[in-house]
Amino acid sequence: MPPRYPRDFYGHGPDRPDAAWPGGARIAVSFVLNYEEGGENNILHGDPASEAFLSEIVGAAPWPGQRHWNMESIYDYGVRAGFWRLHRLFAETRVPVTVYGVATALARSPAQVEAMQDANWEIASHGLKWIDYKDHTAGDEAADMDAAIVLHTEVTGSAPKGWYTGRCSQNTVALAAARGFDWISDTYDDDLPYWAQIDGRDQLIIPYTLDCNDMRFATPQGFNAGDQFFAYLRDSFDALYAEGGAGRPAMMSIGLHCRLVGRPGRVQALRKFIDYVQGHEGVWCARRADIAAHWVEAHPPQPRTNWHLLDRDAFVAKFGGIFEHSAWVAEGAHTLELGPAHDTPQGLHNALCRVFRAAPEVKRMEVLRAHPDLAGKLAAAKRLTEDSTVEQASAGLDALTDDERHRFDTQNSTYVAKHGFPFIIAVKDHDKAGIMRAFDRRITNDTATEFAEACKQVERIARLRLEALR
């Protein structure tokens, strides 16, 4: 198989589907609380060094073989004070919450887990430990994932239905999909959930966020004050809310951390944003489990073309006639670096046209000459390809009067004698009168101009044929 590009640059496409949120909501808002304190890097947890990520100590470095007392106490603030401040806020405002719970952190926080459950918060898994998995083998990461599921189940009483590692590897999503989670959030690539086909299984992905996230209080070029956080959340909400009003409802995720937004100087920004959201009609604040359940019901997975995964013979058999009697175009396209973005008419059309455009003029001339005369002798003898027969019939060229047929025959002969190839036009765009007007206009072109125009028409015909395959 030639190179195949795994990243999907098409997604929902230019016209994303109507999410059809419950109650006709214009936006779905998902508040996520990352519960990591007690699961971070620490030699007490068997790690080689202290934590250095997402704290008040911006630019901190790991301390190999040592406890970092200041870092630990900053994390401790999150569970001792920040969590309860956020718990009270969400309880007062009746906002549903999804928790990304690190299993070892949950195990060390029984009171907080009980409070989450009493509030009917969803507790998804945030892995066994809050560490970076980029350098782990797939086997080691899988072992930690399995251990996380076991520990999570012991601590909460039920297995997690959703998964988010965060500091993940290239294997994370596939490993999580193999374990049958209802949803996975280890992507940041869309404003709506979507189905990904992973190892033959349709997996629901609910993208997460790193921009509408209080982590930017702890990173360079991030938020310096609560009003910056509020302003960014408000502007993001306003943009998505307006899109929802225009018929394109989307989802907004807000990422939170007990030790960050749980500070007094920041929590008011979150309170202001919640008040702002609740001051709008048509807003669905939902846990990710609720969003997943809705998406499964309203937008179940659909059959995929997977054109880019066809082997050479199947690919050429399916697309070899898109350029008239010119299977070499499809053969060339199959050797390109195709990916999911080529599984649409416009995507595959681009690949086929690349091969056609890159070919020497003599090869492109062969394609032009492979096209039949419009309403000519091949049509009368019923020897057109199936595509050409349908296309000419759509413009009424299969039902000509004697005078019309005589005129077409005359024009065909004159055109071919002048240019050396038949007159080509995407007939779907025209009726008989329009085709004849184009004939009269183009027959006067010089051959170089007409060759370029004929090639454009061949590409247009190819696009229409691909669209008819969907």
Side-chain angles (χ1 to χ4, degrees), residues 25 52 59 71 102 143 154 165 209 211 227 241 264 269 291 347-348 361-362 364 375 395 403 435:
M71 182 66 71
V102 174
E154 293 173 358
T165 292
T209 178
D211 67 314
D227 58 351
Y241 190 77
I291 293 171
L348 189 56
E361 184 174 317
V362 64
R364 285 179 287 150
D403 286 345
I435 292 170

Side-chain angles (χ1 to χ4, degrees), residues 417-459:
K418 179 176 182 179
H419 298 303
F421 50 85
F423 177 77
I424 301 170
I425 189 170
V427 296
K428 183 178 180 179
D429 300 329
H430 304 279
D431 57 15
K432 285 186 290 187
I435 292 170
M436 189 53 70
R437 286 194 298 271
F439 226 145
D440 292 337
R441 182 184 72 255
R442 287 172 49 189
I443 205 168
T444 63
N445 286 338
D446 62 81
T447 297
T449 299
E450 193 54 22
F451 178 82
E453 178 61 31
C455 287
K456 290 180 181 178
Q457 293 296 323
V458 165
E459 292 181 8

Side-chain angles (χ1 to χ4, degrees), residues 66-85:
Q66 299 182 61
R67 293 176 64 184
H68 193 315
W69 193 261
N70 290 347
M71 182 66 71
E72 287 183 25
S73 63
I74 289 171
Y75 270 72
D76 292 353
Y77 182 91
V79 293
R80 292 164 59 101
F83 171 83
W84 299 110
R85 183 171 287 119

Side-chain angles (χ1 to χ4, degrees), residues 15 43 89 130 230 257 284 358 391 418 429 440 459 466:
D15 299 310
I43 63 171
L89 172 59
W130 196 62
F230 169 71
H257 299 76
W284 182 42
E391 289 157 3
K418 179 176 182 179
D429 300 329
D440 292 337
E459 292 181 8
L466 286 169

Side-chain angles (χ1 to χ4, degrees), residues 16 18 26 239-249:
R16 68 185 182 215
D18 182 351
R26 293 169 61 165
L240 294 173
Y241 190 77
E243 291 177 7
R248 297 183 298 277

Side-chain angles (χ1 to χ4, degrees), residues 205-219:
I205 305 294
I206 304 182
Y208 188 45
T209 178
L210 295 181
D211 67 314
C212 293
N213 193 310
D214 68 358
M215 68 178 285
R216 293 181 61 195
F217 282 116
T219 60

